[in-house]
Amino acid sequence: MKHLLDVDELNTEDAESILSQAGEYRAAFDAGPPVPAAAPLAGGRIALLFAEPSTRTRLSFEIAGYALGAQTLVVDPGGSSLVKGESMADTVRTLDALGIDTLVLRHHRAGAPWVAARHFGGSVVNAGDGWHAHPTQALLDLLTLRRAFGATTDGTRRLAGAKVAIVGDVRHSRVARSNLTMLGQQGVDVWACGPSDWLRDWPGDVATDDLDAALRGADAVMGLRVQRERMKGSAFDLGGYVARYQITEARMRLAAPGARFMHPGPVNEGIEVTHEVATGPRSLVLEQVRNGVPVRMAVLAAVNASSREGVAG
Amino acid sequence: MKHLLDVDELNTEDAESILSQAGEYRAAFDAGPPVPAAAPLAGGRIALLFAEPSTRTRLSFEIAGYALGAQTLVVDPGGSSLVKGESMADTVRTLDALGIDTLVLRHHRAGAPWVAARHFGGSVVNAGDGWHAHPTQALLDLLTLRRAFGATTDGTRRLAGAKVAIVGDVRHSRVARSNLTMLGQQGVDVWACGPSDWLRDWPGDVATDDLDAALRGADAVMGLRVQRERMKGSAFDLGGYVARYQITEARMRLAAPGARFMHPGPVNEGIEVTHEVATGPRSLVLEQVRNGVPVRMAVLAAVNASSREGVAG
Amino acid sequence: MKHLLDVDELNTEDAESILSQAGEYRAAFDAGPPVPAAAPLAGGRIALLFAEPSTRTRLSFEIAGYALGAQTLVVDPGGSSLVKGESMADTVRTLDALGIDTLVLRHHRAGAPWVAARHFGGSVVNAGDGWHAHPTQALLDLLTLRRAFGATTDGTRRLAGAKVAIVGDVRHSRVARSNLTMLGQQGVDVWACGPSDWLRDWPGDVATDDLDAALRGADAVMGLRVQRERMKGSAFDLGGYVARYQITEARMRLAAPGARFMHPGPVNEGIEVTHEVATGPRSLVLEQVRNGVPVRMAVLAAVNASSREGVAG
């Protein structure tokens, strides 16, 4: 029995076995208690304050914190004092007084984590602020690229000189911005590509509205989500975007042999990328998700090790 | 390094140290369940994705998972990527990549758990899909009936030949449907009863709009919730339903001596059943709730035992 | 002591015992990562049912329950059966059947925790009911005052004769009401102050609309939140209130030398109190938050000790 989907599929033996086990659990349940364990963040308390909705990032941190032995507390921004007009400073000081040692913060305002850090005694981990930054995403993207290109300890050497093309609304993307910095530090040649409107103010060296030029010889192509919610009512021409910028298998053939596709998710299949590319052998999308947990474990462990030594940074 | 706010602030040494630690965590993460302990699911991760509201079922699974030593993660469908248009397949593949080994899914669409199972590496437990099925409810109802009728290991023999009448909107009830199958397998004679509209397409052998006939000689009567939310604006005559189909103490006297009352909850007292019957000595309603936890523990343990052995089913 | 519903029902011995236990917990809490070897509530299950939004109180109980080794389960009132019309009695009996041993309840209706306690086998802890009572807040306020005034075991003697002025909408404040009882028991002279409308039905001995009189010689001033949400559309004159009743540093000079400022939070800085007073050296606001965790640990431990001995209270 791998799944339990319906009783139709339960044979008598399985059903009997479950019921008999359930009978024993019922007896134990009526009788009382069970369990403990040891971990690097045992006794720690991590608050997850996501002022923007998120599934994968929030779950990823929740899994990471638990795996390290910490208590993770989800602070509902809707039900929180933030709605009663309490300022970020007050919220953060309150979390500090409650004994929270790590605050994982996602916020629609760029810079919010820095404001939080000024008022918080423990550590703040930025889980995405506005269009500005998303450092744990950049770290997990780097880990993903290194693993994909076979790099181990000599990772820097292997990635240096590689070309990564980021395609889409780089202007409003914290993922693009953080990857530009992180990958740039590794000697990666980062190209931005999209309609010229979306390339304004791009801090990188290369930006082009010519997709072919961006893809040519790329070792990896990173798609970005088309924020259709945000486009509503604007002059944005979705059909035109798809025609000119959708990542297709045919277009991927312009890239280096064996070039990989990445995307921070959630993916709009059929918009910024075809189903074939997003889920085919080139795709690293699920590898990115999978690497999110160990990266966040490492980040949480690192910031806590620092706090426990009392070293500011 | 006290905070991690942006990759700008990460020096190469810090970044290397995080990535190297993450590499180790990734290896451990891929290798499988860490934290070995007495609890059978220690190190396990159970995601609870309830796309329909629920208290008792969700809490029941949350308690069951915790008691087995697993981490339980509540996936808020409102805040999840599902709202951003991500398909069920994508959501489920993401949860899989996050290291979730068991997905407990409630969904308004019949068949959703099967779609999920096609794309999920771990186990899926159906916690109710549309009007279709609710297998853990049927299991707990069976456990409840067996315990109520004194059956232990010879449970099948004791229940065979018993009569159970399910009264209400059986047509739209996944509970009714799953109980028909489960109790039928045990040799129970399952009657469906309600207004003729609600009996259409009933897959069981006996369906009647005559409550007296259904109750006569029944060993147990299972009431179903009148979905007043769903009836709004329809021609449904609530007063007429109450007059003809409400389970009352007087009507229960038509049933077998000592006949019991069951209900999957939440109960509308004064509508489908009187307060007297719902909370009196005949009632098994709270027994059903109580048996929910050990049944779900048994189900979670069973699907995980299978996953850990790598046996597909 | 089986439940904690109101401070009225706490005898001196129980209150002392809780405060003394809370003092020990506070020391452990300040010392850092606890992880008690044998957690006193291991195997316990605490349901947090907050029918009104709350951040600090809910997190405080969640941290306290976890620190004692219990599973804490957040019951979402929006997604719960309560919305399907299930009565409080049914909800509470369901939680009981699920094996919950402690119900922490916040409810907009005064008296709701008493209704819950009538139907619940385990312990009920009132986390605020309507305008009526908020006993754990009164306990943490008392602990805060004792620590602030240097009292240790002889706390009662030190606080007796002190003057505490509660300023604001005392009429609609469960915090004010519970503090009147709790501090009154300690021999504290409790003054209520605010516009005369807000002083109607005040059960204390002294109520005045003259802020200077209330502040004069006070050892502590407790501000209350101006519920602007609730005032909307009413004739309430916010500017007038601020002019007459805002707690400012200048006004605090009327109080005793070294007088402290308290507030149950969240604070409206610039409305009921200035930023300077709320966050300056007089302020005990964050001390109140910090003491919330050990007080709630002590309360949870006390009610569970009683339940485990089977002694009703």
Side-chain angles (χ1 to χ4, degrees):
Chain A
M1 178 179 148
K2 179 168 182 187
H3 302 296
L4 173 66
L5 300 176
D6 200 347
V7 289
D8 290 336
E9 300 175 8
L10 267 183
N11 62 38
T12 311
E13 197 179 309
D14 285 343
E16 284 309 316
S17 158
I18 286 176
L19 289 165
S20 144
Q21 182 67 73
E24 288 177 39
Y25 282 139
R26 168 66 193 250
F29 190 65
D30 286 347
V35 233
L41 300 193
R45 293 182 195 98
I46 301 172
L48 308 175
L49 176 46
F50 278 69
E52 283 185 341
S54 163
T55 301
R56 68 191 70 206
T57 307
R58 199 260 294 160
L59 287 176
S60 186
F61 274 109
E62 209 172 338
I63 291 168
Y66 182 93
L68 295 168
Q71 179 180 18
T72 57
L73 296 127
V74 177
V75 183
D76 173 20
S80 91
S81 302
L82 286 168
V83 288
K84 296 189 190 170
E86 197 179 49
S87 71
M88 172 67 75
D90 291 330
T91 298
V92 154
R93 281 195 291 251
T94 297
L95 294 174
D96 194 24
L98 283 167
I100 303 295
D101 42 51
T102 309
L103 171 62
V104 177
L105 179 66
R106 167 164 294 187
H107 205 279
H108 41 85
R109 267 193 292 118
W114 281 260
V115 176
R118 270 210 305 279
H119 300 282
F120 191 60
S123 298
V124 175
V125 175
N126 182 2
D129 64 316
W131 304 340
H132 178 242
H134 195 352
T136 61
Q137 179 74 38
L139 283 162
L140 74 89
D141 286 343
L142 176 55
L143 182 63
T144 302
L145 279 168
R146 286 192 180 182
R147 291 173 57 97
F149 291 112
T152 51
T153 43
D154 58 341
T156 308
R157 220 164 38 246
R158 297 292 309 272
L159 280 181
K163 174 178 176 182
V164 172
I166 308 181
V167 180
D169 186 359
V170 297
R171 186 171 193 227
H172 300 124
S173 170
R174 56 192 172 215
V175 173
R177 226 173 289 276
S178 284
N179 265 305
L180 174 67
T181 306
M182 185 100 246
L183 295 178
Q185 284 172 1
Q186 304 287 318
V188 172
D189 191 20
V190 180
W191 287 51
C193 176
S196 54
D197 251 23
W198 288 354
L199 301 175
R200 270 189 287 147
D201 311 321
W202 175 246
D205 291 332
V206 199
T208 175
D209 65 357
D210 178 351
L211 182 60
D212 288 4
L215 295 187
R216 205 163 291 129
D219 298 287
V221 178
M222 191 177 291
L224 297 178
R225 179 179 181 76
V226 173
Q227 305 277 353
R228 283 181 294 179
E229 312 84 82
R230 209 158 46 75
M231 306 301 180
K232 235 168 243 172
S234 83
F236 178 69
D237 168 17
L238 185 62
Y241 181 83
V242 170
R244 252 187 95 182
Y245 291 103
Q246 188 183 64
I247 310 297
T248 64
E249 185 51 39
R251 281 168 171 162
M252 282 299 287
R253 288 196 206 105
L254 292 172
R260 312 301 301 263
F261 176 76
M262 302 175 77
H263 193 295
V267 176
N268 277 316
E269 290 181 12
I271 307 290
E272 64 262 17
V273 63
T274 60
H275 173 79
E276 187 188 10
V277 172
T279 64
R282 294 184 184 281
S283 177
L284 289 171
V285 173
L286 294 176
E287 273 296 295
Q288 292 172 275
V289 174
R290 188 147 186 89
N291 287 322
V293 175
V295 160
R296 278 145 189 153
M297 286 174 71
V299 166
L300 292 172
V303 297
N304 275 274
S306 153
S307 294
R308 285 173 187 206
E309 288 157 17
V311 179
Chain B
M1 178 178 147
K2 179 168 182 187
H3 302 296
L4 173 65
L5 299 178
D6 200 349
V7 289
D8 290 326
E9 300 175 8
L10 265 185
N11 61 39
T12 311
E13 196 180 308
D14 285 342
E16 285 309 318
S17 157
I18 285 176
L19 288 166
S20 145
Q21 181 68 70
E24 287 176 36
Y25 281 137
R26 168 66 195 249
F29 191 65
D30 285 347
V35 203
L41 299 194
R45 294 182 194 95
I46 301 171
L48 308 175
L49 175 47
F50 279 68
E52 283 185 340
S54 163
T55 301
R56 70 191 69 205
T57 308
R58 200 260 294 161
L59 288 176
S60 186
F61 273 108
E62 210 173 338
I63 292 168
Y66 183 94
L68 294 168
Q71 178 180 19
T72 57
L73 296 126
V74 177
V75 183
D76 172 20
S80 94
S81 301
L82 285 169
V83 288
K84 297 189 189 167
E86 197 180 48
S87 71
M88 171 67 74
D90 291 329
T91 298
V92 154
R93 281 194 292 251
T94 298
L95 294 174
D96 194 23
L98 284 167
I100 303 294
D101 42 50
T102 310
L103 171 61
V104 176
L105 179 65
R106 167 164 294 187
H107 205 280
H108 41 86
R109 268 192 293 120
W114 282 260
V115 176
R118 270 211 305 278
H119 300 281
F120 191 60
S123 297
V124 176
V125 175
N126 182 1
D129 65 315
W131 304 339
H132 178 243
H134 195 351
T136 60
Q137 179 76 38
L139 283 162
L140 75 87
D141 285 343
L142 176 54
L143 182 63
T144 303
L145 278 168
R146 286 193 179 180
R147 290 173 59 98
F149 290 113
T152 51
T153 44
D154 58 342
T156 309
R157 222 167 34 247
R158 298 294 308 273
L159 280 182
K163 174 180 177 182
V164 173
I166 308 181
V167 180
D169 185 358
V170 296
R171 187 171 190 226
H172 299 123
S173 171
R174 55 191 172 217
V175 173
R177 226 173 291 276
S178 284
N179 265 306
L180 175 66
T181 306
M182 185 99 245
L183 296 178
Q185 283 172 0
Q186 305 286 321
V188 172
D189 192 19
V190 179
W191 287 51
C193 176
S196 54
D197 251 23
W198 288 354
L199 300 176
R200 271 189 286 148
D201 311 321
W202 175 245
D205 292 332
V206 201
T208 176
D209 66 356
D210 177 352
L211 182 61
D212 288 4
L215 296 186
R216 206 161 291 129
D219 299 288
V221 177
M222 190 177 292
L224 297 178
R225 179 175 182 78
V226 172
Q227 304 278 354
R228 282 182 293 178
E229 312 84 81
R230 209 159 45 74
M231 305 301 178
K232 237 168 242 170
S234 82
F236 179 69
D237 168 19
L238 185 63
Y241 181 82
V242 169
R244 253 188 94 184
Y245 291 103
Q246 188 181 65
I247 310 298
T248 63
E249 186 51 37
R251 283 169 170 162
M252 283 299 287
R253 286 194 208 105
L254 293 171
R260 313 302 298 264
F261 175 76
M262 301 174 77
H263 192 293
V267 176
N268 277 317
E269 290 182 13
I271 308 288
E272 65 262 18
V273 63
T274 60
H275 173 79
E276 187 187 12
V277 172
T279 63
R282 294 183 183 282
S283 176
L284 288 171
V285 174
L286 294 176
E287 272 296 295
Q288 292 171 276
V289 173
R290 188 147 187 88
N291 286 322
V293 175
V295 159
R296 277 143 191 156
M297 286 174 72
V299 165
L300 291 172
V303 297
N304 273 276
S306 153
S307 294
R308 285 173 186 206
E309 288 156 17
V311 179
Chain C
M1 180 177 147
K2 178 169 183 187
H3 304 296
L4 173 65
L5 300 176
D6 199 351
V7 289
D8 291 337
E9 299 175 8
L10 268 183
N11 62 39
T12 311
E13 199 183 323
D14 285 341
E16 284 308 319
S17 157
I18 285 175
L19 288 166
S20 143
Q21 182 68 70
E24 285 174 32
Y25 283 138
R26 168 67 193 250
F29 191 59
D30 285 346
V35 202
L41 300 194
R45 294 183 194 95
I46 301 172
L48 308 175
L49 176 47
F50 279 67
E52 282 185 340
S54 161
T55 302
R56 69 191 69 207
T57 307
R58 200 260 295 161
L59 287 176
S60 184
F61 272 110
E62 210 172 338
I63 292 169
Y66 183 93
L68 294 168
Q71 180 181 17
T72 57
L73 296 126
V74 177
V75 184
D76 172 21
S80 94
S81 301
L82 285 169
V83 288
K84 298 189 189 168
E86 198 179 49
S87 70
M88 172 65 76
D90 291 329
T91 297
V92 153
R93 280 194 292 249
T94 298
L95 293 174
D96 194 23
L98 283 167
I100 302 295
D101 42 49
T102 309
L103 171 61
V104 177
L105 179 66
R106 167 165 293 185
H107 206 280
H108 41 85
R109 267 192 293 118
W114 282 260
V115 176
R118 269 209 307 276
H119 300 282
F120 191 59
S123 296
V124 175
V125 174
N126 182 2
D129 65 315
W131 305 339
H132 179 241
H134 195 351
T136 61
Q137 178 75 39
L139 282 162
L140 74 88
D141 286 342
L142 176 54
L143 182 63
T144 302
L145 279 168
R146 284 194 181 179
R147 291 173 57 98
F149 292 113
T152 52
T153 43
D154 58 341
T156 309
R157 219 162 40 247
R158 297 292 309 274
L159 280 181
K163 174 178 177 182
V164 172
I166 308 181
V167 180
D169 186 358
V170 296
R171 187 170 190 226
H172 299 124
S173 171
R174 55 192 172 215
V175 173
R177 226 173 290 277
S178 283
N179 264 305
L180 174 68
T181 306
M182 185 98 246
L183 297 178
Q185 283 170 1
Q186 304 286 320
V188 172
D189 192 19
V190 179
W191 286 52
C193 175
S196 53
D197 251 22
W198 288 354
L199 300 175
R200 272 188 286 147
D201 311 321
W202 175 247
D205 291 333
V206 200
T208 175
D209 64 358
D210 177 352
L211 181 60
D212 288 5
L215 296 186
R216 204 162 291 128
D219 298 287
V221 177
M222 190 177 292
L224 298 177
R225 177 175 182 77
V226 173
Q227 305 278 353
R228 283 181 294 178
E229 313 83 82
R230 209 158 48 72
M231 305 302 180
K232 236 168 243 172
S234 83
F236 179 69
D237 167 18
L238 185 63
Y241 182 83
V242 169
R244 252 187 94 182
Y245 291 103
Q246 188 182 64
I247 309 297
T248 62
E249 184 53 38
R251 281 168 171 162
M252 282 300 287
R253 287 194 207 104
L254 291 172
R260 311 303 298 264
F261 176 75
M262 301 174 79
H263 192 295
V267 176
N268 277 317
E269 291 182 12
I271 307 291
E272 65 260 18
V273 63
T274 60
H275 173 78
E276 186 187 12
V277 171
T279 62
R282 295 184 183 281
S283 177
L284 289 171
V285 173
L286 294 176
E287 272 296 295
Q288 291 172 276
V289 174
R290 189 149 186 87
N291 286 323
V293 176
V295 159
R296 278 145 189 152
M297 287 174 72
V299 165
L300 291 172
V303 296
N304 274 274
S306 152
S307 294
R308 287 174 185 207
E309 289 156 17
V311 179

